Amino acid sequence: MTTSNASTYRQSHDPSVTNTHARRTAEVEGAFVLPRISQNFRILDVGCGPGSITCGFARYVPQGSVTGIDLTEEVLSQARTKLSNLNPKPSNVTFELGNAADGLKYPDDSFDVVFTSQVLIHIPDAVKALKEMKRVCKPGGFVACREADLPFHWHPFLPGIQLWSKYFHSLIFGPTDSAYPMNPPYGPGHRAGVMVHFWARQAGFDPEKMERADEVQVWATKEDRKWFSEGLWGRIEKGGQGEKFRELGASEEDVDMMIKDLKAWADDVDGWHGQIQCQIICRV
């Protein structure tokens, strides 16, 4: 795999980041895929991260296989550790280096399902990546994508969370003065969720063979708020995001306020966070 696009993922693979990703499951993030798969399917999980969804899919294809790919050995090592700790350990899961943005190493028509979750938003040329996913998908198979549609929604939208929103967007897409950037250099890319079907059509998928849906994912209980908040301020304190925010112009006071208000939000009985998750099935 070449690495020309590896730097487009800017959140790092520090455990403070990937521990959040490891909570994702096939039963939640891949729920729209499960009714459509057969036990002998070959599945490719693009941008598998720490492997929790990949390993989850394995239970549903006992006569098939699941291959998870990601950009670095750092995160693939976490995925392999996750796999080795399962009891029983699935024998039909592999993790490999791969980058759809630079071209996949697999032959045409290799997989029954190509799946991706929260990945296209990090790829400058999502259409090119989708073309690769289409190429390696068998006729009669499908490409399935799940992407959050930004901006995220908060209550209360505390000043520190407003700052976090501004610098999080800057980290992913480039500097901005707005917490909710709408203009170039972002273009429509920051609205990844609502753009997926458009990108897919540009990649050559037939719109008559697409199934589009969405859901709202909410963190509102005391336990969910605590977990979600710790994941975000933990990235700032331990995962290097604080330093990245400072490089983007945040002051020390700004960073301190982000952490303080993320914790305050978690302690607020009225605290609520919602994300619109857009899902699409593209049949080949």
Side-chain angles (χ1 to χ4, degrees):
M1 180 194 79
T2 61
T3 58
S4 63
N5 283 288
S7 63
T8 62
Y9 184 75
R10 299 184 176 97
Q11 293 195 79
S12 91
H13 291 118
D14 184 87
S16 63
V17 177
T18 58
N19 285 345
T20 303
H21 299 165
R23 199 183 189 192
R24 297 170 179 167
T25 67
E27 288 76 17
V28 174
E29 278 69 22
F32 68 114
V33 173
L34 297 181
R36 297 170 170 85
I37 63 177
S38 298
Q39 292 190 2
N40 62 346
F41 271 15
R42 296 187 67 205
I43 299 176
L44 177 66
D45 183 6
V46 176
C48 64
S52 56
I53 299 175
T54 320
C55 292
F57 277 141
R59 295 190 292 271
Y60 297 91
V61 289
Q63 285 97 51
S65 65
V66 191
T67 301
I69 63 170
D70 215 309
L71 295 173
T72 70
E73 285 292 351
E74 178 185 8
V75 73
L76 291 176
S77 175
Q78 297 173 37
R80 294 185 184 112
T81 298
K82 163 76 175 177
L83 177 63
S84 66
N85 288 337
L86 292 177
N87 186 18
K89 175 184 174 182
S91 60
N92 58 344
V93 178
T94 56
F95 292 104
E96 301 174 346
L97 284 170
N99 185 350
D102 282 337
L104 297 168
K105 66 181 182 180
Y106 309 106
D108 296 356
D109 309 336
S110 293
F111 299 94
D112 299 283
V113 177
V114 181
F115 173 83
T116 185
S117 176
Q118 318 304 335
V119 171
L120 295 176
I121 194 171
H122 299 290
I123 300 178
D125 192 345
V127 174
K128 179 181 177 182
L130 283 163
K131 286 180 178 178
E132 273 296 281
M133 296 180 207
K134 183 175 185 289
R135 179 185 66 78
V136 301
C137 189
K138 297 177 182 178
F142 61 88
V143 174
C145 304
R146 176 180 166 97
E147 292 285 339
D149 191 58
L150 277 62
F152 297 153
H153 301 277
W154 297 84
H155 179 81
F157 195 33
L158 300 170
I161 295 177
Q162 294 177 42
L163 284 170
W164 176 87
S165 298
K166 171 184 174 179
Y167 286 105
F168 175 77
H169 282 80
S170 296
L171 175 65
I172 302 300
F173 305 109
T176 177
D177 290 330
S178 170
Y180 293 154
M182 297 298 291
N183 301 312
Y186 302 87
H190 83 283
R191 300 296 309 278
V194 297
M195 294 298 295
V196 172
H197 68 286
F198 174 69
W199 292 335
R201 184 172 62 78
Q202 288 187 311
F205 290 99
D206 183 346
E208 298 299 319
K209 295 182 179 179
M210 294 182 193
E211 301 174 39
R212 287 170 271 182
D214 61 69
E215 66 175 10
V216 178
Q217 193 169 19
V218 172
W219 289 262
T221 68
K222 180 179 180 180
E223 293 75 17
D224 282 348
R225 293 195 310 271
K226 180 177 185 294
W227 172 82
F228 192 73
S229 167
E230 287 177 349
L232 295 185
W233 63 257
R235 299 179 192 192
I236 298 172
E237 285 194 336
K238 305 171 187 176
Q241 284 194 2
E243 183 58 36
K244 291 177 181 179
F245 289 166
R246 294 182 190 97
E247 291 171 0
L248 288 165
S251 67
E252 200 65 44
E253 292 75 17
D254 289 340
V255 174
D256 289 343
M257 184 179 290
M258 293 180 213
I259 295 171
K260 176 179 72 70
D261 281 356
L262 284 166
K263 292 179 178 180
W265 171 83
D267 291 335
D268 191 326
V269 68
D270 294 321
W272 187 96
H273 176 87
Q275 298 178 14
I276 299 173
Q277 298 289 346
C278 299
Q279 300 169 164
I280 189 168
I281 298 285
C282 302
R283 297 203 173 271
V284 177

